[in-house]
Amino acid sequence: DHFLEIKESANNITISDMTIKDYDENNHGGAIDITSGGTITIQDIHFDNNKTSSFYDGGAVYVGSSTTVIFDRCKFTNNDVYSSSSSDGSCIYTEGTLTIKNCLFNDNDAHSANNGLIYIDDGDADIINCTFADNSEEPIYVYSYGPGTINVTNCIFKDNSGNDIERDGGTVNLMYSWYESTTGTIASTTGSTTSGSVDFVDQANDDYSLQASSICINAGISSGVSSFDVNGNQRVVGGV
């Protein structure tokens, strides 16, 4: 069963401060299925080891059309989809309007190419101040038909087995981010780089904080970012 289904006209709901783990659902949205058409905020949630069984999408979360979902300071670990190329989005599958900020994605499995940890089937998305590391297959997949504008800003992509972003449709902007590879046309890479060293504190033990030597420190843009990061630390210090 799901942990939670948000249906019909539910609106202005916030879910926060918990771990949601070990859900295995024979339907869309292994942990949470959202098809309300409203605005849902998911904050300070750790999604661990959730998946779909059979040919369904959204190993952790499914976001239906006409729904707006905001993920803030969430962690996604060990999530998966059914072992099929037609099951998409091991962490998030979306047809709605999506904001993901201050989130960490590590050790998730998208099963195969074109499945994505985040599968954007339709709608717009803003992905800000997120880290994607040590995942199997591509962190972000943008489908051929339907997606609008996808803005990826101040993000880090490190040691993922697939391309960091696979763009088959929509307009994708990858800005002020550190990445290793992409495929498909990226409209803008302003401020982004593949050079230098990320220097996580202890990547082998899942500590993705940055050492003082990291090329990524003070390399992002501060305009529009949240006040606090995924660990609850102040995001902008001294104006940078």
Side-chain angles (χ1 to χ4, degrees):
D1 293 333
H2 308 286
F3 169 76
L4 180 67
E5 293 183 54
I6 303 175
K7 300 287 190 180
E8 298 178 354
S9 59
N11 193 16
N12 295 326
I13 293 173
T14 297
I15 305 163
S16 63
D17 299 296
M18 67 181 74
T19 295
I20 302 174
K21 64 182 298 184
D22 299 335
Y23 283 87
D24 184 353
E25 172 62 22
N26 188 28
N27 208 324
H28 296 310
I32 301 179
D33 180 15
I34 307 172
T35 56
S36 68
T39 298
I40 310 298
T41 299
I42 299 176
Q43 189 172 66
D44 296 312
I45 301 291
H46 184 186
F47 293 93
D48 182 53
N49 195 40
N50 302 290
K51 62 182 179 179
T52 56
S53 52
S54 194
F55 300 93
Y56 293 102
D57 302 318
V61 183
Y62 179 92
V63 178
S65 61
S66 303
T67 301
T68 297
V69 178
I70 301 164
F71 293 89
D72 185 19
R73 299 196 304 268
C74 294
K75 297 181 181 180
F76 293 82
T77 56
N78 305 304
N79 298 287
D80 200 355
V81 285
Y82 183 67
S83 296
S84 166
S85 59
S86 62
S87 296
D88 301 316
S90 64
C91 295
I92 301 168
Y93 174 96
T94 179
E95 298 177 358
T97 300
L98 188 67
T99 298
I100 306 172
K101 54 186 179 179
N102 304 311
C103 292
L104 171 63
F105 297 77
N106 66 284
D107 300 318
N108 301 284
D109 187 358
H111 175 65
S112 65
N114 303 339
N115 292 133
L117 308 183
I118 301 170
Y119 187 101
I120 302 171
D121 184 82
D122 207 341
D124 298 327
D126 288 301
I127 302 171
I128 310 163
N129 289 118
C130 293
T131 296
F132 301 83
D134 298 323
N135 299 289
S136 296
E137 300 301 338
E138 70 274 1
I140 301 172
Y141 177 78
V142 185
Y143 184 56
S144 304
Y145 306 102
T149 300
I150 316 302
N151 294 315
V152 181
T153 310
N154 293 358
C155 291
I156 297 172
F157 299 85
K158 183 75 166 62
D159 293 334
N160 304 291
S161 66
N163 289 299
D164 297 320
I165 299 176
E166 183 166 341
R167 179 259 174 199
D168 284 346
T171 299
V172 177
N173 300 306
L174 175 60
M175 300 173 290
Y176 300 96
S177 297
W178 194 97
Y179 69 103
E180 292 174 318
S181 65
T182 63
T183 185
T185 301
I186 305 298
S188 173
T189 56
T190 298
S192 292
T193 185
T194 59
S195 300
S197 181
V198 171
D199 290 345
F200 291 127
V201 169
D202 190 358
Q203 183 174 355
N205 291 299
D206 299 336
D207 184 348
Y208 298 99
S209 304
L210 298 177
Q211 299 183 46
S213 58
S214 174
I215 190 72
C216 301
I217 290 179
N218 295 338
I221 185 171
S222 61
S223 176
V225 304
S226 300
S227 299
F228 299 96
D229 66 14
V230 68
N231 294 318
N233 299 316
Q234 190 171 339
R235 170 68 69 182
V236 179
V237 179
V240 294

